[in-house]
Amino acid sequence: MTVVLKTSHHHGNLRAGLVEAGIEILESEGLDALSLRKCAARAGVSHAAPAHHFDGVAGLREAIATEGFQRFGAAMLREAAPEQDPRARLKAICRGYLAFAREAPALYRLMFSTGMRSQPDAHLAHGPSSAYGILREFCAPFVPEGTEPTVIETQVWALCHGYALFILHGIVPDSPALDTAVLDLVERIGAAPAS
Amino acid sequence: MTVVLKTSHHHGNLRAGLVEAGIEILESEGLDALSLRKCAARAGVSHAAPAHHFDGVAGLREAIATEGFQRFGAAMLREAAPEQDPRARLKAICRGYLAFAREAPALYRLMFSTGMRSQPDAHLAHGPSSAYGILREFCAPFVPEGTEPTVIETQVWALCHGYALFILHGIVPDSPALDTAVLDLVERIGAAPAS
DNA sequence: CATGTCAACTTGACGCCGTCAAGATGCATT
DNA sequence: AATGCATCTTGACGGCGTCAAGTTGACATG
């Protein structure tokens, strides 16, 4: 997997290879097992090579998080593609949200942890195809005029995020009934506020 | 601080002292800085002493999380005490939830992270004064008969949890307007589902 | 009072980790 | 062909978790 056709120094694209190795370690060994040295070993380079591509371990985590947000956005769009109704589309990106968290739990937790403490917007808000851009686009039909879009977006994503983490940590059972309950609440977020 | 009146070995209650030291380290240096050796140093014992009280670093984190959940429940109850209306009381424990997360962010993140991977129920669901018992009690007035209480509880807590983490990570601004938006949604959770 | 027992803590060591300094290598430009 | 430079290697350092062995002091037993 990932043949690099290296000579000795100066092989193809070590930075990408290290990120890929990191994601594989996350999937197979979990979040705590991620280390610069393990990524280097898996990529077939010396233990200090990653330091030339990332600013310490925080930089590696940030780079992995950036790649994760790419896949995250793709997972949401994939789920929403067949839907037409705005309400169905909003629920669909939430399904994609939960599906991604279940498929790559360690990567998901890395993305939403200290790895992004410095520049969260760099991952989330950059460009319309970013994860946050997707959320904003799909929430837009439900934002009342003269209202901050952030309100609806925060409600939707906070709900999905908290629920996803509760599932990953085993705090709530992983049942389809709870999924539909959460998605139903998403559907209600666009409705009028309580009397 | 925390005079221990020790002789040489066998001082008062080292386990509690180590947990207290750990919480102080969390508050002053953050989540990543927590280590067995630092707790030991701050408690004035040798680097290997904690191993006799906790099962590795995971055990220390779990013990700190347990203490954190005690304070967490107290923070929620404190906020809810003056309220009478069930709806106001539910919103109040959510305010307490957010207040605790803001006051002790590192401790809060420790509580809801791998530290509890083994036995989450041990912290959450044990006894009526536990954090989960409090949630269940305050959600009860809004659970329709013949319905799983877990549904409402999950909706409320997932929303609070996701929102709290977004604030702590700086993903959303820390504004009172978003607080009221989230609390308004909590208020709507008890209402009838969408048409 | 002397003795044995045992939990609590210390000491020292091991390997893994991140990080730094110094050196080796090979491509690219001149 | 010679130089420059980014890239990677090597070796070292301290901090970390963890284990094995030793030391201490309290307490029960004779």
Side-chain angles (χ1 to χ4, degrees):
Chain A
M1 186 173 298
T2 63
V3 176
V4 197
L5 72 120
K6 67 170 191 176
T7 58
S8 162
H9 305 79
H10 289 84
H11 42 70
N13 188 354
L14 180 54
R15 186 187 157 96
L18 289 167
V19 168
E20 184 58 37
I23 291 179
E24 291 173 14
I25 291 173
L26 284 180
E27 288 174 352
S28 61
E29 302 182 56
L31 186 53
D32 295 337
L34 182 70
S35 74
L36 284 169
R37 287 172 112 105
K38 269 190 199 168
C39 287
R42 187 179 272 257
V45 293
S46 76
H47 66 262
H52 296 276
H53 295 275
F54 310 105
D55 182 20
V57 66
L60 171 67
R61 293 168 62 95
E62 179 134 342
I64 293 176
T66 300
E67 171 63 23
F69 275 108
Q70 296 287 115
R71 305 187 183 185
F72 184 48
M76 288 193 289
L77 288 181
R78 193 182 320 129
E79 197 77 21
E83 304 290 345
Q84 299 293 338
D85 177 54
R87 209 174 279 259
R89 286 170 65 78
L90 181 59
K91 283 176 74 170
I93 65 165
C94 292
R95 277 201 312 274
Y97 194 117
L98 297 177
F100 179 85
R102 281 192 250 245
E103 276 169 25
L107 177 57
Y108 175 78
R109 284 178 45 207
L110 172 66
M111 287 157 49
F112 289 99
S113 69
T114 50
M116 58 187 307
R117 66 180 177 283
S118 51
Q119 296 285 355
D121 295 342
H123 307 301
L124 292 167
H126 230 62
S129 72
S130 71
Y132 193 76
I134 292 168
L135 172 72
R136 173 152 295 205
E137 175 191 339
F138 282 70
C139 281
F142 304 100
V143 176
E145 52 240 72
T147 311
E148 266 294 323
T150 319
V151 169
I152 299 280
E153 294 157 12
T154 300
Q155 289 173 334
V156 171
W157 253 22
L159 182 63
C160 291
H161 186 53
Y163 178 56
L165 289 177
F166 280 173
I167 292 173
L168 297 191
H169 291 325
I171 296 174
V172 301
D174 194 341
S175 79
L178 280 181
D179 268 37
T180 62
V182 168
L183 292 175
D184 284 349
L185 182 55
V186 168
E187 209 165 13
R188 272 196 278 162
I189 287 175
S195 61
Chain B
M1 185 173 297
T2 63
V3 176
V4 198
L5 72 119
K6 67 171 191 177
T7 57
S8 163
H9 305 77
H10 290 84
H11 41 71
N13 189 353
L14 181 55
R15 186 187 157 96
L18 288 167
V19 168
E20 183 58 37
I23 292 179
E24 291 173 14
I25 291 172
L26 283 180
E27 288 174 353
S28 61
E29 302 182 55
L31 186 53
D32 295 337
L34 182 69
S35 74
L36 285 169
R37 288 171 111 106
K38 270 190 198 167
C39 287
R42 186 179 272 257
V45 293
S46 76
H47 66 262
H52 296 276
H53 295 276
F54 310 105
D55 183 19
V57 67
L60 172 68
R61 293 168 62 96
E62 178 132 341
I64 292 176
T66 301
E67 172 63 23
F69 275 108
Q70 296 286 117
R71 306 186 183 186
F72 184 48
M76 288 193 290
L77 288 180
R78 193 182 321 129
E79 197 77 21
E83 304 290 344
Q84 299 293 338
D85 177 53
R87 209 174 279 259
R89 286 171 66 80
L90 181 59
K91 283 177 73 170
I93 66 165
C94 292
R95 278 201 311 275
Y97 194 118
L98 298 177
F100 180 85
R102 280 193 250 246
E103 277 169 23
L107 177 57
Y108 175 77
R109 284 177 46 206
L110 172 68
M111 286 157 49
F112 289 100
S113 69
T114 50
M116 58 187 305
R117 66 181 177 283
S118 51
Q119 297 284 355
D121 294 342
H123 307 301
L124 291 166
H126 230 61
S129 71
S130 71
Y132 193 76
I134 292 167
L135 171 73
R136 174 151 296 206
E137 175 191 340
F138 282 70
C139 281
F142 304 99
V143 176
E145 51 241 71
T147 312
E148 267 293 323
T150 319
V151 169
I152 299 281
E153 294 156 12
T154 300
Q155 289 174 333
V156 171
W157 253 22
L159 182 62
C160 291
H161 187 53
Y163 178 56
L165 289 177
F166 279 174
I167 292 174
L168 297 191
H169 290 325
I171 296 174
V172 301
D174 194 342
S175 79
L178 281 181
D179 268 36
T180 62
V182 168
L183 293 175
D184 284 350
L185 183 55
V186 168
E187 210 165 11
R188 273 197 277 162
I189 287 176
S195 60

